[in-house]
Amino acid sequence: MNWGGPEFVLAIIAISTGGWVINNWIRARHGYALEDEWGGKTDRADDQAMAKLRDENALLRQQLDATHQRLANVEAIVTDRGFDVASQIEALRHQDDRRAQ
């Protein structure tokens, strides 16, 4: 290998860039601050936004669970035999009212 040629310089640049990319990938994967172009650390800008989204997601999941429970109760009432009997009684009452008129 020619130590003074452009291949050596390009190899050093490629190795340095590859190391920087791998370093930032590992940091991002484990939640550490990332390095910027000048070696300074940049914090994640979305920490507060992510916390708000997590809270909103938890609230929405609770509301969805409550809605599912209410829907199950309504389905149980509608498919209950007693509800059908009550609606038949009401239909008979209305039928009797029509006959009386």
Side-chain angles (χ1 to χ4, degrees), residues 39-98:
K41 304 287 185 215
T42 56
D43 291 330
R44 297 175 112 180
D46 60 346
D47 285 339
Q48 292 177 350
M50 289 298 290
K52 287 180 184 177
L53 286 174
R54 281 189 204 104
D55 293 341
E56 182 182 6
N57 192 17
L59 176 66
L60 291 174
R61 285 184 184 270
Q62 289 174 352
Q63 290 176 352
L64 184 62
D65 290 340
T67 303
H68 280 230
Q69 290 174 354
R70 291 179 70 188
L71 181 61
N73 290 340
V74 169
E75 287 175 347
I77 291 170
V78 170
T79 57
D80 186 18
R81 187 75 180 136
F83 181 78
D84 188 37
V85 171
S87 64
Q88 289 174 358
I89 291 171
E90 288 299 319
L92 290 173
R93 284 184 185 159
H94 292 298
Q95 189 176 30
D96 288 342
D97 291 341
R98 280 186 240 139

